[in-house]
Amino acid sequence: MSPRLRPGRPILVVSALGATAAAVLGYVLFTGHGTPRTTSAKANDVSGRATACLAADSASATGGDTVAGIWSAMQSAGTQHSTNVQRMIEPATTTEQAAPHLAGLLVQHCDLIVTVGAPFGQAAPGIASAASSVPIIAVDSTLSSAPANVTLLTGSGAAARITERVIGLQRHIAGS
């Protein structure tokens, strides 16, 4: 024997089910019950290794051997001396476009920042004042002067000087 609904009852049943579903959904959405809780991600290198970061504009990266030579030197020094190295190539053509990318490297806790090319090199003094403890090497920046924590280099011999600086980075002390 199957239950039979009187005329007009299907609409009432469907309406009641819809109202119940809407109430449950509203409760879950507004109170947060039933949804997984997540914690915010925090940049933290648990290896304790120092990090050297290379930032260059895409024109400098494709316009010569300077970026490739410096990146190769950083990788080699990093591998031999247990230092993290990372590279960021961005299509920045102005200082204003490069500055936020350099600020991001500070947030990522880079212990040495190397820039290649005018856009990133010219943005280096601006972030140098915000993080005076982070050494910055600006290669081919077109700058004539810079703050104390910014070293200005040109393409020839830059890779060797940067290798020395990457090797000299110290491991992080736990809890710092």
Side-chain angles (χ1 to χ4, degrees), residues 81-164:
H81 298 279
S82 297
T83 302
N84 295 330
V85 294
Q86 66 183 40
R87 173 179 69 169
M88 175 181 65
I89 307 295
E90 295 294 334
T93 57
T94 66
T95 302
E96 291 77 22
Q97 292 172 342
H101 296 291
L102 284 181
L105 294 179
L106 292 177
V107 172
Q108 292 178 38
H109 305 291
C110 293
D111 299 294
L112 170 67
I113 297 175
V114 178
T115 69
V116 179
F120 282 95
Q122 291 173 0
I127 67 154
S129 61
S132 60
S133 64
V134 177
I136 300 169
I137 299 174
V139 180
D140 297 339
S141 66
T142 69
L143 292 174
S144 58
S145 65
N149 62 325
V150 177
T151 302
L152 302 177
L153 299 176
T154 58
S156 61
R161 296 267 315 267
I162 291 166
T163 296
E164 292 170 5

